[in-house]
Amino acid sequence: MSTTGIPETTPLQAAKMKHPRGLYTLFFTEMWERLSYYGMRGILVLAMVDAIANDGLGLNDQSATAIYGLYTAGVYLLALAGGWIADHLMGARRTVWWGGCIIALGHFTMAIPGSHFTFYLGMLFIVLGTGLLKPNISAMVGELYPEGGARRDAGFSIYYMGINLGAFIAPFICGTLGEKVGWHWGFGAAGVGMVIGLIQYRLTQHHLGDIGLMPPVSERSPELMRAIRRNWAVLVTALILLAVVVAGIALGMIPFNAVLVAQGSAYVIVGLAALFFAAVYAFGKLDKQEKLHVGGIIVFFVAAAIFWAGFEQAGSSFNLFADRYTDRTFFGWEMPASWFQSVNSIFIILLAPAFGAMWLRLAAKNLNPSLPLKLALGLIQMGLGFLVMYFAAKLVLAGNQVLPTWLVLTYLLHTTGELCLSPIGMSAVTKLSPKRFSGQMMGTWFMGAALGNLIAGLVAGEFTGQNVAEMPENFMRAVILGVGAGLLMIIFLKPLKKLMGKVA
């Protein structure tokens, strides 16, 4: 859920190192932002499928999960634009601030009851704000440690614990309010969390020194000023076009079908990725080894799309499964379904240090699995998680509600799969990328994640749709896809290792 890279330094090692005070500014800002993001995400689909009489949107499963897929994919895609804005217009520090403000605005807009328009507009604000904040706050963590090395790894280890701490707490606050009091109370609580993060950020940003700042106006060259003006013109034009499209949809002038838009967006992402890789091969002047490495990145792109398509069922179909088919009653009290969204985070907190230590020990004995093998293991574990859901669905089909342990075991397998694939994949892409294309190649990793999120939203409605009889079969298809893709990578392990060369 919430890892984009897990350093090999354990929290115990990190605690023994002295870190810049600015790290804690960024730690708490990200913790509160993740609390707001995962708090809202945990109740998003539940609110959309709930009846209008209960303050929900009354959507069917297919439409609700397609919108969820568009939302989560948009967060990944807008991260690319957010990095560009920080680099060319405002600097990372101001971009994070305004991103947080837009996120808070989005949550409070969603908290306005009785309006589909404000609900969707709020989601759009959150996508835009997260795209601004997420990539740049991580970049500032790296800038705090210009020397790199183990101290930087330790700093990121602490920072990622903040991410998962926020994601762990979120469902207990936003989920409880949303399910027990009203959906808009949950969305409003997410906004309050982001505001607390912004206040903390504003009051302690002096600890960051010059990190994330653009040069003052007096020190900017005429060429830089002209470039900034051009970039502002591009940004303003893009925002005007976006506003026109949103207004057109709101007024009914532009038809909007969430499922068709999600399907079209998936084809667009695949097409853009194919054009990009083709252009790099045709015009990138790659040498033989670089061509092999780019082939390896294509494998990572496909693996990421498949993995996230399964993993991101957590906020959609698995959330609906928890709500409809899981026995959540303990001593007469019913646990909110959204609380299951905390399971992945607690497993990350508990298992990430163990995985980091395991890779180090295996490497010391020259037994560390190759990158393609780790990818394959991640995909297989994702598929095995759906095998657990297949048997759970069989019990549901027999007329039973199932114990929470089925979902918990699924989340455990998906978390261990994530720890094999996500941090390894991101690290490998940075190593495989030709230096002149490093930023763009990292963008393809995020595009793979965005594609996976879109596919996740499109298929989620089928997993828990109105025809319960089809649920086991649909889960089994996910088993075949995940395990099959992993086994295929193992079969072709030798040529895949050749693609990646020494990096593997």
Side-chain angles (χ1 to χ4, degrees):
M1 171 206 295
S2 43
T3 56
T4 51
I6 303 293
E8 293 178 338
T9 307
T10 68
L12 181 61
Q13 292 170 318
K16 296 179 179 179
M17 298 183 179
K18 188 174 182 180
H19 296 278
R21 293 184 68 181
L23 174 64
Y24 303 101
T25 296
L26 302 179
F27 173 98
F28 287 110
T29 304
E30 181 69 342
M31 185 195 78
W32 285 108
E33 186 274 330
R34 289 292 89 181
L35 185 149
S36 73
Y37 177 83
Y38 285 108
M40 175 270 198
R41 172 184 176 272
I43 58 175
L44 179 59
V45 171
L46 298 178
M48 287 193 286
V49 301
D50 201 8
I52 294 175
N54 297 331
D55 216 16
L57 298 190
L59 301 180
N60 60 38
D61 289 0
Q62 287 76 15
S63 296
T65 56
I67 291 169
Y68 173 87
L70 286 167
Y71 166 71
T72 53
V75 167
Y76 281 101
L77 291 177
L78 266 293
L80 303 176
W84 180 86
I85 289 170
D87 291 341
H88 296 89
L89 289 177
M90 294 193 293
R93 192 182 303 187
R94 288 180 62 201
T95 305
V96 166
W97 166 257
W98 287 111
C101 291
I102 296 170
I103 290 169
L105 174 64
H107 288 304
F108 291 131
T109 303
M110 290 185 71
I112 299 172
S115 171
H116 281 46
F117 175 70
T118 54
F119 188 93
Y120 296 133
L121 182 62
M123 288 178 63
L124 178 60
F125 282 142
I126 295 169
V127 168
L128 293 173
T130 306
L132 292 173
L133 183 147
K134 196 74 178 78
N136 295 305
I137 194 169
S138 299
M140 283 199 289
V141 174
E143 288 185 50
L144 288 170
Y145 303 91
E147 76 282 1
R151 189 164 166 266
R152 176 186 284 183
D153 288 347
F156 269 105
S157 182
I158 294 172
Y159 173 72
Y160 282 115
M161 289 305 108
I163 291 175
N164 287 284
L165 182 60
F168 170 70
I169 297 170
F172 299 117
I173 299 173
C174 303
T176 303
L177 286 171
E179 293 187 58
K180 299 296 186 181
V181 182
W183 301 119
H184 297 284
W185 285 91
F187 297 134
V192 171
M194 188 67 256
V195 169
I196 294 173
L198 285 168
I199 293 171
Q200 182 277 145
Y201 181 71
R202 197 71 167 185
L203 292 177
T204 63
Q205 65 175 335
H206 59 278
H207 295 312
L208 296 170
D210 295 332
I211 298 297
L213 293 176
M214 289 281 282
V217 176
S218 59
E219 297 179 12
R220 297 177 187 175
S221 67
E223 293 80 8
L224 178 59
M225 292 299 294
R226 283 194 293 270
I228 290 174
R229 284 192 289 269
R230 285 195 303 271
N231 294 332
W232 273 113
V234 170
L235 179 61
V236 170
T237 302
L239 290 175
I240 291 173
L241 290 173
L242 178 62
V244 169
V245 171
V246 171
I249 293 172
L251 296 172
M253 299 169 63
I254 300 176
F256 180 81
N257 181 302
V259 175
L260 292 179
V261 171
Q263 290 172 342
S265 299
Y267 286 121
V268 168
I269 291 175
V270 171
L272 288 174
L275 285 173
F276 170 73
F277 285 120
V280 169
Y281 273 116
F283 309 111
K285 298 180 180 179
L286 305 178
D287 61 32
K288 182 179 179 180
Q289 188 60 60
E290 286 176 331
K291 288 179 180 178
L292 291 174
H293 281 178
V294 171
I297 292 174
I298 294 174
V299 172
F300 280 101
F301 172 86
V302 175
I306 294 173
F307 181 82
W308 296 117
F311 184 90
E312 276 300 325
Q313 298 304 316
S316 50
S317 67
F318 290 174
N319 219 4
L320 294 173
F321 190 93
D323 182 56
R324 297 170 181 173
Y325 308 119
T326 302
D327 183 1
R328 297 175 281 114
T329 303
F330 302 92
F331 305 106
W333 172 79
E334 187 178 53
M335 182 183 80
S338 55
W339 281 21
F340 283 97
Q341 299 299 299
S342 291
V343 175
N344 171 256
S345 294
I346 192 61
F347 279 145
I348 287 287
I349 292 170
L350 293 174
L351 296 178
F355 268 70
M358 178 179 69
W359 300 138
L360 286 173
R361 288 195 190 97
L362 289 174
K365 297 178 181 179
N366 204 27
L367 295 173
N368 195 21
S370 64
L371 291 177
L373 182 54
K374 288 177 181 177
L375 278 184
L377 292 173
L379 290 168
I380 290 171
Q381 288 169 94
M382 183 270 287
L384 291 177
F386 280 97
L387 184 61
V388 174
M389 294 303 296
Y390 168 80
F391 289 111
K394 283 285 191 181
L395 292 174
V396 170
L397 195 58
N400 304 304
Q401 279 204 317
V402 300
L403 292 173
T405 46
W406 292 95
L407 275 171
V408 172
L409 180 56
T410 297
Y411 284 131
L412 173 60
L413 286 165
H414 281 194
T415 301
T416 54
E418 178 188 8
L419 289 169
C420 286
L421 182 141
S422 180
I424 304 303
M426 177 169 279
S427 174
V429 170
T430 62
K431 295 174 183 176
L432 291 169
S433 301
K435 287 187 178 180
R436 56 195 178 282
F437 296 115
S438 58
Q440 297 169 73
M441 289 295 174
M442 183 52 66
T444 66
W445 174 259
F446 288 111
M447 287 178 69
L451 178 61
N453 277 267
L454 273 175
I455 296 171
L458 286 168
V459 303
E462 304 301 324
F463 287 142
T464 54
Q466 281 68 39
N467 191 352
V468 179
E470 296 179 359
M471 193 159 48
E473 182 183 346
N474 288 328
F475 282 132
M476 182 52 68
R477 289 197 189 102
V479 175
I480 294 170
L481 177 63
V483 175
L487 292 176
L488 193 65
M489 290 190 71
I490 291 175
I491 291 170
F492 291 98
L493 197 58
K494 190 172 181 179
L496 287 175
K497 290 172 69 174
K498 185 177 179 181
L499 279 179
M500 299 176 194
K502 294 180 180 179
V503 174

